[in-house]
Each structure stands twice: as structure tokens, then as C-alpha cells.
């Protein structure tokens, strides 16, 4: 078997065509630690470290801060899949190219208008300002989209209910020919992926999200056959009685003004129309929180409990103030996870403070999770989620 090569900092930097100072700086910043120190105290790197360096350099080029890169690369060892890492980067590169093409065209249009009329088109100039200022938003959207995909994959691969969450919701939509359908907060479009052929003839589906980047991603994924639009749930830009069905899958607990959003949803529904929304119960994924807090009691995977804001326990009473009929339906399921890596990826994708406490202790945390899974064989996770079907 071929011996695995090792490189000193200087050799590693030379092969990567970067300075030794760069390698040492990323080491100091806890982004690229050496694989080990040899008996003489030299930092030694392996071919695997080139994968991490490539990802760091790509994200630096794309404009991510060192702190954001640390969050995005924490736990890379658990991926064990260069292809997956490259696909994540490719999505961001393509999105950045599309964004800068819009900026380029806007600059050309503004310059052309000025050359032709010797006057500034202030509306076009404002558009250029807006496009340029969206740059940091792309970073957040990319991270959010990636995190959504990680969480969806965990549920899809390890769920005990064979039907699956999205097929179950799709079945309960009961789409009919000719209906006008609006999804608010469409996320990555998973509800519709692979189900285009099951949409009845003449049924028109509008997929929306408050994030323009997310809408662009979904359109790129699903293509023709749907309408796409950036929509704020609290200000739906459609006349009264425009839709037969409105969908909000795990959306309501994120809204700043849920009362306003529910009034808007009721307004755009046709008489007798259906609003389908989903949420969690208090016990949902409780074992994940118990796992991380067993390692460090300060860790919280969410800033607030989403089910406390709008959950299965109290949702029906709230929705009944806006709709004539409200029915709760629970999705019976659980997760049985037999590997540590998906749990680690899921934990790092959450919106809590875990990065703060795991950055310096990730190796110990990984060992802790692996030992837990190996000891139990499979890691059981409670799922408590469902939908409310409301009739106007």
C-alpha cells in the first residue's frame, strides 16, 4: 500500500501556491490546523488538508468573513466527501455570478442612458444601489439554504415513516384541476420536487419566499411549470379571493407579525378556500437538545422554542379566530440514526449558539457523539409535527 505523504508548512504552502504566512495565519485562526506535530515540533499536513484549504480560499474569494468560514468549515472531517463540499461551493459561485451579471447589466444600462440623454436615470441608479447592497444578503441566504438541505436530508434518510413528510403534505393538499395555489416560504422547493407530473391539469402553483436568493435557487432547481415571486407573508401583493389554496410549511413561527400575515392569507383566499400550515410540538427533536446539553449545558440549538411561538398545542385556537373550520392532523414519525456524522451536520446547521462553544472543542464533541451512537447502536429522535387544515 502506498505510503501517505506528509508535508511541512513550507512544502504544503509551496504545493498549494500560497505563502507560508497564509498557512500559519489560518492555523492561528483555527481554520486549518496541521494534522499533527512531529517529534521536532514541525507542523505536518496531509493531502486531506488541501481539501479544507481549497474550501477556505474559495469562501474568502467569495467574500465570506473568517468567522463565517469557521462556521462553514467546522466539522468538515465528518463529510468525508469532496464531491459534496464542491457542490456546496458551486451553488454559491453560480449564485454570485448571476448576481454580478445583474449588476453588470444595470451599470451598462445606467451608462447608456446617461450617454444618450445626458441625464441620470435615478430609478436605474437606485436599482444599482439595491443590487450592490444585496451582496451580504447572498452570504446569509447561501448558509440558510445549505442548512435547510442538511436538515431535510436527515429526516429523509432516517425517518421511520415510509411515506415521508413532504409526500404526506402533498397528499393532504388534495389539488384539483384549475386551482390557483400559493406557497409562502417555499424554502428549497422540496414539497414539489419530483411531483410536477402529479399536479392536476390547469392547476397553477406560485412558489414564493421573502428571500430573492431562495426564490432564484428554487427556480433553478424546479424550472418551468411553476410561477416564482418574492413575497412577504405580511403584505401579499394580490387582490382579495385570488387563491383556492395557500400553504405555509414551517413558516408561521418565524414571522414578526403573525396576526397581520394570517389576515392577509385569509384575505387572498377564495370563499371556501383552504389554508394548510405546519408546525412542531413541544417534544419535537428533544433528544438532539439533550445530546448537546449533555456535552455543554450552555448550548442552545435555537434562540427560542419555535413550538412556544406557534405550535401544535396552541395553534388550533389561534387559527380558529381567522377561519371557519380548523382541523389538526399529526404526522406519526421518528428518526433512528445509526451514524454520528449526520447528527453532527444537523447540529452545526441549527440557528443557536453551538458554534460559540464547539469551535474550540469540536474534536471532543465529535468523539462524544460517536461514542453515544456506538453505545446505543441507533440514536432515537422523537418527531412531533403536523398540519392544520383551515377553511375560510
Amino acid at each position: 500500500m502506498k505510503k501517505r505523504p506528509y508535508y511541512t508548512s513550507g512544502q504544503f504552502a509551496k504545493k498549494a501556491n500560497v505563502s507560508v504566512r497564509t498557512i500559519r495565519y489560518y492555523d492561528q485562526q483555527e481554520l486549518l490546523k496541521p494534522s499533527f506535530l512531529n517529534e521536532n515540533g514541525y507542523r505536518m499536513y496531509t493531502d486531506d488538508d488541501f481539501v479544507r484549504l481549497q474550501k477556505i480560499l474559495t469562501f474568502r474569494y467569495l467574500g465570506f468573513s473568517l468567522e463565517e468560514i469557521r462556521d462553514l468549515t467546522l466539522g468538515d472531517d465528518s463529510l468525508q466527501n469532496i464531491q459534496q463540499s464542491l457542490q456546496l461551493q458551486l451553488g454559491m459561485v453560480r449564485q454570485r455570478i448571476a448576481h454580478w451579471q445583474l449588476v453588470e447589466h444595470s451599470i451598462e444600462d445606467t451608462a447608456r442612458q446617461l450617454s444618450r440623454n445626458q441625464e441620470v436615470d435615478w430609478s436605474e441608479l437606485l436599482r444599482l444601489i439595491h443590487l450592490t447592497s444585496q451582496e451580504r444578503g447572498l452570504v446569509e441566504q447561501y448558509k440558510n439554504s445549505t442548512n435547510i438541505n442538511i436538515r431535510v436530508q436527515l429526516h429523509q434518510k432516517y425517518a421511520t415513516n415510509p411515506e415521508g413528510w413532504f409526500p404526506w403534505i402533498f397528499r393532504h393538499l388534495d389539488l384539483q384541476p384549475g386551482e390557483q395555489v400559493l406557497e409562502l416560504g417555499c424554502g428549497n422547493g422540496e414539497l414539489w420536487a419530483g411531483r410536477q407530473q402529479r399536479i392536476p391539469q390547469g392547476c397553477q402553483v406560485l412558489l414564493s419566499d421573502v428571500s430573492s436568493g431562495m426564490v432564484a435557487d428554487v427556480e433553478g432547481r424546479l424550472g418551468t411549470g411553476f410561477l416564482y415571486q418574492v413575497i412577504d407573508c405580511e403584505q401579499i401583493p394580490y387582490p382579495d379571493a385570488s387563491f383556492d389554496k395557500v400553504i405555509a410549511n414551517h413558516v408561521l413561527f418565524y414571522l414578526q407579525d403573525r396576526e397581520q400575515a394570517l389576515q392577509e392569507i385569509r384575505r387572498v383566499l377564495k370563499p371556501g378556500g383552504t389554508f394548510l400550515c405546519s408546525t412542531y410540538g413541544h417534544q419535537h427533536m428533544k433528544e438532539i437538545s439533550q445530546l448537546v446539553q449533555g456535552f455543554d449545558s450552555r448550548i442552545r440549538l435555537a434562540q427560542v422554542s419555535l413550538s412556544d411561538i406557534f405550535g401544535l398545542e396552541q395553534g388550533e385556537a389561534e387559527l380558529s379566530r381567522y377561519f371557519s373550520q380548523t382541523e389538526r392532523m399529526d404526522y406519526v414519525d421518528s428518526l433512528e440514526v445509526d451514524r454520528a456524522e449526520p447528527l453532527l451536520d444537523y447540529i452545526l446547521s441549527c440557528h443557536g449558539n453551538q458554534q460559540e462553544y464547539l469551535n474550540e472543542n469540536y474534536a471532543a464533541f465529535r468523539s462524544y457523539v460517536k461514542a453515544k451512537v456506538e453505545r446505543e447502536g441507533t440514536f432515537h429522535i422523537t418527531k412531533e409535527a403536523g398540519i392544520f387544515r383551515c377553511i375560510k
Side-chain angles (χ1 to χ4, degrees), residues 256-285:
Q256 291 186 345
D257 191 342
R258 191 166 59 256
E259 179 179 354
Q260 172 65 22
L262 289 171
Q263 289 174 350
E264 280 288 276
I265 291 167
R266 187 182 188 284
R267 180 184 64 79
V268 299
L269 271 175
K270 297 177 182 179
T274 301
F275 173 49
L276 203 73
C277 63
S278 63
T279 187
Y280 305 116
H282 294 324
Q283 302 301 309
H284 186 67
M285 307 291 283

Side-chain angles (χ1 to χ4, degrees), residues 282-296:
H282 294 324
Q283 302 301 309
H284 186 67
M285 307 291 283
K286 63 180 182 180
E287 290 83 3
I288 293 282
S289 293
Q290 292 168 355
L291 177 68
V292 296
Q293 289 177 11
F295 179 78
D296 190 325

Side-chain angles (χ1 to χ4, degrees), residues 49-67:
D49 294 313
F50 286 116
V51 176
R52 179 175 285 250
L53 176 62
Q54 180 274 329
K55 191 171 184 179
I56 292 169
L57 294 175
T58 298
F59 282 130
R60 284 294 282 166
Y61 180 76
L62 290 170
F64 286 85
S65 70
L66 291 178
E67 183 177 353

